[in-house]
Amino acid sequence: MTVALKAVYTIWLRDVIRFYREKTRIVGMLGQPLLYLLIIGTGLSYSFRMPWAQGELSYLEFMYPGIIGMSVLFTSVFSAVSIVWDREFGFLREVLVAPVPRWSVAIGKALGGSTIAMLQASILILVAPFIGVKLGPAMVLKLLGMLFLIAFSLTSLGITVASRMETMEGFQMIMNFLVMPLFFLSGAMFPLRSVPPWMETLMRADPLTYGVDALRHIMYAGTPARELAVQFPLATDLAVVSGMSLIFITAGTLAFNKTE
Amino acid sequence: MNIIETVRLHKRYKDLTAVEDVTLEVREREIFGFLGPNGAGKSTTIRMLATLTRPTSGTARIDGHDIVRQPNRVRQSIGLVFQETTLDERLTAAENLLFHGMLYNVERRALSRRMAEVLELVDLTDRREARVKTYSGGMKRRLEIARGLIHYPRVLFLDEPTVGLDPQTRNRIWTFIHELRIRENLTIFMTTHYMDEAEHCDRIAIIDHGRIVALDTPANLKKMVGRDLITLRTPFRKEVMLFVEDKFGLPVQETGEYLQIEVSGAESFIPVLAGELGGRLHSISLHKPTLDDVFLKLTGRGIREETADAWSVYRTHMRWRR
């Protein structure tokens, strides 16, 4: 067991060191959400009235937790998909011949991806004052915990998908048919209440919807904006995201066990 | 003592038998060579011994551990160096070694001592903190060998350890391999398709179409194909021919302006011959049988008569795209 835990730690540590080394990756992954926030957020807030918000919630405030969710989504899936490269050309091959159980590799990878996603999201949290969102220390801790949970479930989902991928050619497919729909349907940019029923069904099936919803719960706790911004009870959000984490990490581990 | 023993190892894929009936023993501290063209079953055999592929039937024991029933024990007691690099190029040499040590559960304090030791062994101590992507091909290979040694394996598997390296670097790697055996008490199991390299091995198994067609020391294998061939150039062909046949009882063949004598132990025969014939000879040349000759005789074709297989072309291509 200690061997397996040590392996989990090793794989996690390697991901974190690599992230820290790649400054350009950090900049790129931060730049994207900031661009979304700045350009789409500002642009839409002028034409998107949100009559239901009754002036209590600006569009930027509504979208901000969604953009943090987006950043977590992108980072998690990207770091999971990197295992395709690793398997083909390097480190993962080394890991797969080591005397460690396969599941420790999947879990180490999921934790590594989640940590990185959480670190990036926490930088985005620093923008809060500029959006007009006030956050206390307790709130920030709650947010980080929630972000970790979201990141863990999404990285695990990414691992499940990536373990079936043979080459990076499939990457574009993942972007178009997994990552972007997950983002658009998550309620990050528009709420569930204003869409047609078929779309609402899809949005309800998107795990990220509950993640973003939970972020809104925490961020706007105790303000009148909260009731307007959220769609589900916090307990539902937590249950769904935790359930997803469990399901996806199990699926990811099983998929990983199967490779060769 | 035998450190590797395989018993009728078979590997069948859907419509292809990759390895058939491979039974062999490797002694402790031996450098054992696995020689054959691409697709002969070399890599499949190594993969089975390293527990990466399950044999269809048969089994093997490495250092007393069964490859099918005790894969983790086997993994702990072997080091593996693949054909393609598996180093993490964005990490430093030290980090690559550290992570390996952690995965193989080497105790932390022992690990840093061991890291210094293996880096010293492959002469990379001064490049310890450099990122691997700044390394040359030869340095990477040396680092990989060093990494394979971190957890004190009993057997080191090297899959084509010098492929793609220049001759100078290849020689250097070989120096390291010989040193390793002495300093680390290590058994080395390697594949190659370079005949000159196979000469470094204590024993060689020649594999073709998944079967072992010969297994012996390089010297004994070469004895199979015939004796040494001495070629003489002399203006006094008739005279020399009669003399040699008379004095040494050896048949001499005349081919054009040359005379050829087949003899074993030509090195010691040449001075005797030269002493007897003195100024009558213009030149003497010697051809000793090579492993190429052995391979040709056993399989009916030269070992280098194949091109790179599609898979390695594809990999190289993908690597470039990274």
Side-chain angles (χ1 to χ4, degrees), chain A:
Chain A
M1 194 62 192
T2 45
V3 178
L5 289 181
K6 214 166 164 182
V8 169
Y9 171 65
T10 308
I11 288 153
W12 173 84
L13 183 64
R14 180 244 183 191
D15 261 17
V16 173
I17 289 183
R18 275 183 59 148
F19 170 72
Y20 161 78
R21 290 275 159 78
E22 282 176 69
K23 305 280 190 282
T24 48
R25 197 172 130 204
I26 306 180
V27 173
M29 287 251 155
L30 273 178
Q32 195 171 19
L34 284 177
L35 274 179
Y36 268 74
L37 202 58
L38 214 74
I39 297 176
I40 302 194
T42 313
L44 285 184
S45 57
Y46 281 94
S47 53
F48 202 62
R49 289 280 154 237
M50 302 203 297
W52 45 268
Q54 301 149 15
E56 291 283 358
L57 183 74
S58 76
Y59 181 68
L60 218 54
E61 284 168 336
F62 171 77
M63 191 194 180
Y64 176 56
I67 292 298
I68 294 178
M70 176 191 88
S71 156
V72 170
L73 169 71
F74 284 7
T75 312
S76 303
V77 174
F78 283 145
S79 42
V81 169
S82 75
I83 66 174
V84 179
W85 274 129
D86 283 350
R87 184 169 54 215
E88 214 42 60
F89 297 111
F91 186 71
L92 203 64
R93 282 172 58 113
E94 229 264 303
V95 175
L96 293 180
V97 303
V100 297
R102 291 277 163 92
W103 60 261
S104 64
V105 182
I107 290 183
K109 200 73 203 171
L111 288 175
S114 324
T115 306
I116 292 163
M118 205 181 67
L119 283 175
Q120 289 207 328
S122 57
I123 299 177
L124 282 176
I125 291 180
L126 295 178
V127 187
F130 301 98
I131 311 289
V133 179
K134 288 191 193 68
L135 294 174
M139 258 184 203
V140 171
L141 280 182
K142 277 184 204 161
L143 276 178
L144 288 181
M146 193 62 221
L147 286 169
F148 186 82
L149 204 57
I150 301 171
F152 190 79
S153 72
L154 291 171
T155 314
S156 307
L157 172 66
I159 288 171
T160 313
V161 176
S163 63
R164 278 153 214 279
M165 267 169 71
E166 293 282 317
T167 65
M168 284 309 267
E169 250 84 280
F171 184 72
Q172 203 57 40
M173 292 283 279
I174 291 197
M175 265 323 277
N176 286 337
F177 293 103
L178 182 73
V179 175
M180 292 320 271
L182 280 181
F183 168 53
F184 289 137
L185 292 171
S186 68
M189 297 176 70
F190 47 83
L192 259 85
R193 64 181 115 233
S194 47
V195 300
W198 64 269
M199 198 162 163
E200 197 189 321
T201 313
L202 286 179
M203 287 173 83
R204 279 174 182 275
D206 181 349
L208 190 58
T209 303
Y210 303 89
V212 169
D213 200 55
L215 292 179
R216 289 193 177 121
H217 263 290
I218 299 168
M219 235 178 234
Y220 299 119
T223 69
R226 192 186 77 163
E227 287 320 307
L228 298 165
V230 302
Q231 339 251 355
F232 308 103
L234 185 58
T236 310
D237 293 336
L238 276 174
V240 171
V241 178
S242 312
M244 289 291 175
S245 294
L246 214 60
I247 291 171
F248 288 142
I249 191 64
T250 309
T253 307
L254 290 178
F256 224 80
N257 268 332
K258 256 185 230 154
T259 53
E260 270 178 273

Side-chain angles (χ1 to χ4, degrees), chain A residues 14 21 94 96 260, chain B residues 47 75 88 90 95 100:
Chain A
R14 180 244 183 191
R21 290 275 159 78
E94 229 264 303
L96 293 180
E260 270 178 273
Chain B
R47 290 184 64 83
R75 286 172 177 214
D88 195 323
R90 277 168 269 203
E95 285 164 348
H100 183 94

